[in-house]
Structures are given as C-alpha cells and as structure tokens.
Amino acid sequence: MNNIPVVLILFGGSGDLAHRKLYPALYNLYHKNLIHDHFGVIATARRPWSHDYLRQQVTQAVFENNDDVDEQEVKEFASHFYYQSHDVTHVDHYIALKDLASELDEKYQAQGNRIFYMAMAPRFFGTIATHIHDQNLTGSGFNRLVVEKPFGRDLKSAEELNKEIRASFDEDSIYRIDHYLGKEMVQNIMPLRMTNPIVKNIWNNNFVQNVQVTLAESLGVGTRGGYYETSGALRDMVQNHIFQIITLLAMPEPENLTADAIHKAKQDLLASLQIPGLDDIKKHFARGQYCAGATTPAYLEEDQVDPNSTVETFAAGQVKFNAGPLAGVPIYFRTGKEMKEKISRIDIVLKHMNNLYGTAHSNNISIIIDPTSEIYFTINGKKISTDGLRREILDYTFSKQEMGQVPDGYERLLHDVFVADSTNFTHWAELKRYWEFVDAVEDGWRKLDGEGDKPESYAPMAFGPKSANDIFDNPKEHWIYR
Ligand code: NAD
C-alpha cells in the first residue's frame, strides 16, 4: 500500500529513541514511498526548539544512520516535520496541539488519520492518554496509538494504564511495541518451525528435552541506575522480550497467518501457563547482582543506586505450559547485565536417543538473534578415520549482504502500524499473563528478601551467578551455551 495519509504526533520528539530509531525509520518508509505527500509529523517535547531546528535534527539523524542518502530527498522529507514545545502535564498545550494537527490534516490532506506515538518515560503514558481523550485530539479518520515499553511495572499498574488508554482507543488500535518482535530472527521462528518437516516433526514434547533463551548484555546499568532501581532484570527483559520469544516457540500452530489467528494461538498457549509458587521459585529461579570488575563498578556503587538495593541485574528461571506442542517441557531463560558478551540466542536441546553407538551428544537447534542472524543444528557424525562420534555443525549464517538488507526493527514495526497489522505487537491478553507470572516471581523474591535470601553477587565477564546453573529439572541438564 503506497502513500498512506496520516498526521503522526510524536511525544518525546527530542529524545534518544526518536533520534536514533524513529526519524531514520520514518525516512526509510518515505524513501520506499509508503508515506510521501500526505503525511505530517508533529514532534513535541519540553525543549524550546523551532520547526527549523527540529528539521535539522531530523536531517542529522537520517545522515547518521544511512551512508547513502539523497540530500534533496532528505530535505523534502524533513519539511514534513513540525515542532511544538509542550509539557505533557499542561492541558493548554493540547489545545495548541489540536489546532496544529487540524492545520496539518488540511495541508497534507491526511483524511483525519492520526497516529500518536508515546516515546517518553512511561510515567507520562497515562497522562497523555487522558489528555488525548479529554481534549478530543483524535481525528475523524483512523486513530492509532503506539506505546513504548515498559507497560506498567506490575499487573495492577498495567491495568490502570490500559484503562486510561482504552478511554480513547480500541484494543485493535493500540500497538504496544516490543522491538524484539521486529527482529529478523524472531520473525524467523514461525517459518523455521512450520515449513521444515525436519524441524516441525520434532517440535514437541516427545523430542525436545528443554529450551534455553539467553538475552545477555555486556554493559552495566551506566547512567540508567535510577530507572533500573524501579525495574530489575525480570521486569526489564523477561516480562516483555523473553516472554514474547517463549510464546512464539511454544504456541500451537495458528490456523492461518492473520494477526487474529496468531494472537489466538498465543492466548491459547498462555491460558495454560503455569504460575510458579514459592517452592518453584526457590528451585527453578536465580537472581544476581554484578560486583566490581577490573575497571567497572559494582551495581551497588552505580550512580542513583541504593547501596542496599536488592534489585536483580540478572534473572534466570523456568517457564512451563500445560498445553501446546511443548506442554511440560521446561523452557529456561536467563538475562543480565555485565555478562561475558552481548548475545541474544535460543537453544532447543533435543532428548538423547538410544543408539547403537553408545553415548551420543544431544542434537541442538540454535537460533542466534543478535549480534548475527544465524541458525545452526548441532548433530552427531563419525570421527574421521577412527571409530566414535564427533559433533558436527550445520550452519546457516546470513551473509554481510543479507545482513545489509535486514530492515531495522523500528522501520518494520512502524510500517506495521501504518498498514494496521498488529501481528508483531503485544495484545493486552498476552501482557496480562506475562505480568501475572512476573508478579508471582517478584512476590516470591520479596518473601525471600524477608528471610535474608538476597541476590547472589556475580563477577562481570561470566554468565551470571553460580546458582543459575542449579535451576534445571534434571541434574544432567545444563546451559549448553557457556
Ligand atoms: P529520553 O529521555 O531520551 O527522551 C524523553 C523525551 O521526553 C524527551 O524528548 C524529553 O524532552 C521528553 N519529555 C520529558 N518530560 C517531558 C514533559 N514533562 N513534557 C514533554 N516532554 C517531556 O528517552 P528515550 O530513551 O527516548 O525513551 C523513550 C521511551 O522509549 C521510553 O519508554 C523507553 O523505555 C523507550 N525505549 C527507548 C529505547 C532507546 O533506545 N532509547 C529503546 C526501547 C524503548
């Protein structure tokens, strides 16, 4: 679909996300002619910028992100941007915003279509949604709302936020962004599972021993200590990215590839999610805090961090479902900061098979999401010229050229918003289940805090605390990526 008419109102137009991701993504959509003559963008933030200054910033953001751009085209693109200095807590600014939106609607013949994008600190989401409603900022065409993460900090606050948003937007018009769902290899999970007999036929609890999801970061919290103190690894990474990946891995095959069918498959699976009790949390979960490295501070010494904080910078645990192809199969996850390397990967570990050769290793299917795009199978083969088995790897790695063709997650997801495809966004029913799980683990950890059981400290440049190796159902299981 070409040239979708729309006025986009961006809250947080001077922020990091807008500069690094959203302006370059919008430019790519403009370059591909998805948005062209009939679009205008109003960027709002507190700083007293002019329209011209915003356009300079937008131009700079595009050049920083793209080696090969046509200067004239960027100039035309930037001319569609308007700035409004705006404190989102002040009601009078919404009146000015409404007037400017109507003006642009007419100027660009945008047919009353509006997209509202909340790219600001989450504490403002509810306030903005309420003002959009009270000041009647929605247009006469379609109205869509894009919300960044985190969506609440527990189920209760997420429910309150959802209520505030639902006053102006239907569930179908709310796009809760999880940028992991825009990643190439995350989008590759369904085709890998569903189009290859070699994979499809073993993707069940007869063959899969366990699944391991690792989202590791090599840096500490840096300047974001204040935010992290209100979050921790479980809320920051598990409630959204890790759970969405797990859902794609464990859901039954949808009836077809429509957004509705895919969300239904996810929700059918999530209805069978086992919510862990305190015993499960003690046995199958681990949490840690990084200590100082040779040149890096400990979490407890970071700026804006309480020196007695029990907030975890590493979380590992187990997820199980009662339904779906992987019913009963343990799905392990781990995520943390100051780890050995920055890597996002999934490892599917298959059960050992009785065989004529005695001991054989497991077969594994590994999907590397970042920093490369790669799928490899680990299988057994004969040692060259002697008896015995050795491990072989069948590898499909994207070439440099293919990597260059992969669109950024934000470009893909923004495109989906323009064409009203909600497949790769988080539905409220999914989010609710994720929070129920995370709240149960948080409650368990608060009880353990009360018993003096605190996060275990771990050295940087490893894969978290020792206790992360003790969460498995079976003592023979272990993290296969170490
Ligand atoms: P940021 O701090 O860089 O930008 C925040 C923006 O909000 C700025 O434009 C600021 O001027 C504006 N702002 C703050 N208070 C305001 C007020 N009272 N009235 C009007 N404007 C105000 O934040 P960011 O890194 O761009 O993150 C924005 C959102 O995107 C957050 O929800 C974050 O979790 C999410 N996010 C960011 C990234 C990223 O890479 N930066 C990645 C994923 C998700």
Side-chain angles (χ1 to χ4, degrees), residues 12 14-17 20 45-46 86-88 119-120 124 148-149:
S14 65
D16 176 67
L17 181 74
R20 280 193 314 109
R46 270 181 313 191
H86 174 113
D87 188 316
V88 293
M120 293 186 50
F124 295 117
E148 273 296 335
K149 71 156 209 177

Side-chain angles (χ1 to χ4, degrees), residues 299-319:
Y299 177 64
L300 297 179
E301 297 158 3
E302 297 275 20
D303 199 23
Q304 301 173 55
V305 169
D306 173 358
N308 297 312
S309 173
T310 58
V311 168
E312 77 289 351
T313 61
F314 173 93
Q318 185 194 69
V319 176

Side-chain angles (χ1 to χ4, degrees), residues 274-286 317-318 471:
Q274 295 182 13
I275 303 294
L278 192 58
D279 274 353
D280 301 310
I281 293 165
K282 283 182 183 164
K283 274 192 212 142
H284 298 301
F285 287 75
Q318 185 194 69
I471 65 169

Side-chain angles (χ1 to χ4, degrees), residues 93-132:
H93 288 165
Y94 291 87
I95 297 161
L97 192 54
K98 188 176 169 175
D99 291 344
L100 182 55
S102 303
E103 205 182 297
L104 296 193
D105 191 27
E106 209 162 293
K107 176 166 184 174
Y108 292 112
Q109 296 161 3
Q111 299 176 13
N113 295 331
R114 297 211 174 138
I115 294 176
F116 300 86
Y117 196 125
M118 295 189 192
M120 293 186 50
R123 65 179 183 283
F124 295 117
F125 294 168
T127 310
I128 300 171
T130 305
H131 285 306
I132 290 175

Side-chain angles (χ1 to χ4, degrees), residues 66-81:
N66 236 323
D67 299 335
D68 186 23
V69 282
D70 173 349
E71 230 167 278
Q72 185 55 29
E73 190 185 49
V74 181
K75 203 169 162 199
E76 283 162 16
F77 167 71
S79 74
H80 289 256
F81 283 72

Side-chain angles (χ1 to χ4, degrees), residues 188-207:
N188 215 338
I189 292 174
M190 282 178 49
L192 173 73
R193 273 185 59 183
M194 294 167 195
T195 65
N196 300 298
I198 194 175
V199 179
K200 183 178 163 111
N201 288 314
I202 50 92
W203 203 274
N204 57 55
N205 51 12
N206 290 326
F207 287 91

